[in-house]
Amino acid sequence: WKSGRRPVSRAETEWAFRRFGKPGWYGENRLVRPEGWLTELEEKTGLAAWPNRGDFAVTVRRSDLRLLPTDKPAFENFQSPGGGYPFDMVQQTAVPPGTPLRLIHGSVDGDWLYAESPVAAGWLRSSDAAAVDAAFMWQWNTGRTAAVLAEDVPVRTADGRFRFRAPFGTVLPLLRRSGQGL
């Protein structure tokens, strides 16, 4: 939350639309993406109002950070090495649950957020993020934490409701130890 870096600029975000606006990108059906496939995506971003957010959040599940606000992949030529499946070129990275985010922009329909994480910036589903306040950030930064040291660990609420599966290395705030869990 306190990276000291300047927020990502609109121009840096628009770069992805220029990159994928060039011909030769393929969809999940192995067919060339039609000309203008980005038009609807670009319209729903509302980039003319960039930035329209300035708040903070934390991921509530494993979240994809994407170069474009879509779950649909874009592949390069399937005939060239590293060009086809599974190399979705829209995928920037993935971040684990509990990752701090600086929210920079929200899409017009509210479905996507452009966020900056400690490792990268990109679009993620707004349902993957929960708003945090100063008290939460202070507790996160000064309180005790616990790291997940196994793969695919179920994380539950205090009353036992399943929330998500945490990958190895996920760091979460530690509220207390209880029985056999944290």
Side-chain angles (χ1 to χ4, degrees):
W1 294 301
K2 306 239 186 253
S3 69
R5 298 181 303 215
R6 65 167 177 72
V8 175
S9 71
R10 176 179 163 184
E12 290 170 296
T13 306
E14 290 172 328
W15 164 86
F17 287 95
R18 289 192 308 276
R19 177 181 185 203
F20 292 102
K22 296 176 183 170
W25 293 100
Y26 294 79
E28 61 276 17
N29 57 3
R30 298 177 66 100
L31 298 177
V32 174
R33 288 257 180 234
E35 191 172 318
W37 70 281
L38 292 177
T39 304
E40 184 180 331
L41 289 179
E42 196 161 11
E43 288 172 2
K44 90 173 178 179
T45 63
L47 289 179
W50 181 276
N52 63 9
R53 302 286 297 252
D55 46 335
F56 301 99
V58 64
T59 54
V60 295
R61 64 182 58 86
R62 180 203 170 277
S63 304
D64 291 331
L65 289 180
R66 314 270 298 156
L67 293 174
L68 299 171
T70 181
D71 292 322
K72 294 201 174 282
F75 300 110
E76 293 181 298
N77 188 332
F78 279 86
Q79 304 308 314
S80 58
Y85 181 84
F87 302 106
D88 175 8
M89 302 308 284
V90 180
Q91 180 73 12
Q92 176 82 321
T93 192
V95 292
T99 300
L101 300 171
R102 177 175 20 179
L103 304 180
I104 299 169
H105 191 77
S107 65
V108 173
D109 62 7
D111 193 19
W112 291 88
L113 296 167
Y114 195 89
E116 191 172 53
S117 79
V119 295
W123 294 96
L124 76 153
R125 290 277 184 185
S126 56
S127 59
D128 287 0
V132 298
D133 60 13
F136 180 95
M137 293 188 298
W138 182 85
Q139 178 65 34
W140 179 272
N141 288 325
T142 61
R144 296 183 313 163
T145 57
V148 175
L149 299 178
E151 193 59 49
D152 206 30
V153 173
V155 175
R156 301 180 190 283
T157 61
D159 62 359
R161 289 184 314 157
F162 176 83
R163 298 306 298 173
F164 55 83
R165 291 197 170 276
F168 182 89
T170 299
V171 177
L172 298 169
L174 176 62
L175 298 176
R176 65 186 165 277
R177 294 176 188 273
S178 61
Q180 295 183 352
L182 300 177

